[in-house]
Amino acid sequence: YNVPLSWQPWFFKVKTVFSKNEQLVDSLKNANKALDEQVQRQSEKLSRSYEAKERHLALLNTMLNSVPDLIYFKNIDGTFLGCNRAFEAYIGKDQTTLVGMCVDDFGENDQQINTLEKQVLQNRNSVEQRIDTDTKSYLLTIAPFYNEHQHLLGTMGIGRDITEQQQTLHALKASESKFRSAIEFAANCVVLLSLEHTIVQVNKATRKQFSEQSNLVGESLKTLFDELQWQQIKEALAQLLDDKKK
């Protein structure tokens, strides 16, 4: 079919429009392909990042659950964010039950810990406090924790079992009390001295022997004897120290 000459300019314009549309479609296809590739790369990157965070979280949970210390995290409003297995055993609840709840919800309101947590949130400094239960003693450290932008998120508590240390301390105090009693009521004079020969402690017999001295503690032993006696005592003390070092 022969196109009339008068129609040819219009056919040319239509052809030009179709050609431009075809170019535009090709450009859109190329742009979509580039966008798809970019989205794919970003998705792979996000996937790797997510997997890395999952590994880090799993490692963190493993570490938290491996330590014997009680560890918990709380929100600013005092609700639990998480804890380790040691804390679960201590409070008698699993983490899934604790999250989003307060200690008050379990009827175990501990005003001492609540007060410490409020103090930490207000001052943004860590605090330490010994917490005693019927059978255990814990050294509780409560500290604030933040996100990567240093925005306060809540508090973290770490409780270390110091029951054995407390029992040892009490035993030492009891032993020291018995030792002091034995010294106090000994029949002979007993004087405890510093290395500089300053009197640290005396017993009843010593206070009676030197009753003219109003206060013996803090005085030099030298003041109780004449020069000849002091030289003899000084030599004897020096010999005792030498024998102790051997």
Side-chain angles (χ1 to χ4, degrees):
Y1 177 76
N2 294 324
V3 179
L5 291 177
S6 60
W7 289 14
Q8 288 184 2
W10 294 104
F11 274 94
F12 177 76
K13 288 182 180 182
V14 171
K15 183 178 180 181
T16 302
V17 169
F18 274 104
S19 177
K20 289 182 178 180
N21 286 343
E22 186 177 357
Q23 293 175 2
L24 180 58
V25 170
D26 291 339
S27 297
L28 288 174
K29 287 182 178 179
N30 292 333
N32 285 335
K33 182 179 180 181
L35 182 60
D36 289 340
E37 292 175 352
Q38 184 178 357
V39 169
Q40 180 65 24
R41 289 193 299 269
Q42 188 67 21
S43 298
E44 292 175 355
K45 183 179 179 181
L46 289 174
S47 178
R48 289 193 299 269
S49 177
Y50 176 78
E51 291 174 357
K53 288 183 178 180
E54 285 291 304
R55 288 195 299 270
H56 292 161
L57 182 59
L59 177 60
L60 178 60
N61 285 332
T62 300
M63 293 175 61
L64 290 177
N65 290 327
S66 298
V67 298
D69 295 339
L70 313 179
I71 301 175
Y72 70 84
F73 303 89
K74 282 187 178 182
N75 219 327
I76 294 179
D77 60 4
T79 57
F80 281 100
L81 291 172
C83 65
N84 67 345
R85 288 176 183 167
F87 188 82
E88 288 179 339
Y90 167 76
I91 203 169
K93 305 287 182 181
D94 58 34
Q95 182 174 204
T96 55
T97 303
L98 286 172
V99 171
M101 306 187 78
C102 298
V103 174
D104 301 358
D105 299 326
F106 305 108
E108 301 172 1
N109 182 25
D110 193 328
Q111 290 298 331
Q112 186 179 16
I113 296 179
N114 289 341
T115 300
L116 290 174
E117 289 172 348
K118 291 178 181 178
Q119 178 183 337
V120 169
L121 291 174
Q122 181 178 358
N123 300 330
R124 303 199 177 189
N125 290 321
S126 60
V127 297
E128 285 188 351
Q129 180 71 43
R130 194 182 82 237
I131 303 296
D132 296 316
T133 66
D134 294 338
T135 58
K136 296 282 187 178
S137 292
Y138 296 92
L139 179 60
L140 179 63
T141 301
I142 302 177
F145 71 94
Y146 306 85
N147 63 11
E148 63 273 17
H149 303 295
Q150 293 302 304
H151 294 156
L152 182 64
L153 296 181
T155 57
M156 176 182 67
I158 302 176
R160 175 154 296 179
D161 189 343
I162 57 170
T163 305
E164 290 187 6
Q165 293 92 318
Q166 288 298 111
Q167 292 173 345
T168 302
L169 180 60
H170 292 156
L172 286 174
K173 287 183 177 180
S175 177
E176 181 182 2
S177 177
K178 292 180 181 178
F179 174 70
R180 289 182 179 275
S181 296
I183 289 177
E184 177 65 18
F185 298 106
N188 297 325
C189 294
V190 179
V191 180
L192 299 183
L193 300 172
S194 69
L195 292 176
E196 294 78 22
H197 305 138
T198 300
I199 298 174
V200 176
Q201 182 181 345
V202 295
N203 69 343
K204 185 176 180 180
T206 304
R207 291 193 296 272
K208 183 177 180 180
Q209 177 68 29
F210 298 96
S211 57
E212 68 278 3
Q213 298 284 342
S214 59
N215 187 19
L216 295 174
V217 176
E219 297 292 332
S220 174
L221 184 64
K222 180 180 179 180
T223 60
L224 303 181
F225 305 96
D226 60 36
E227 187 61 29
L228 179 60
Q229 291 175 324
W230 170 242
Q231 289 301 324
Q232 293 174 345
I233 294 173
K234 186 177 180 180
E235 291 175 3
L237 292 173
Q239 185 63 46
L240 285 174
L241 287 176
D242 289 340
D243 293 342
K244 186 67 175 177
K245 292 177 181 179
K246 294 179 181 179

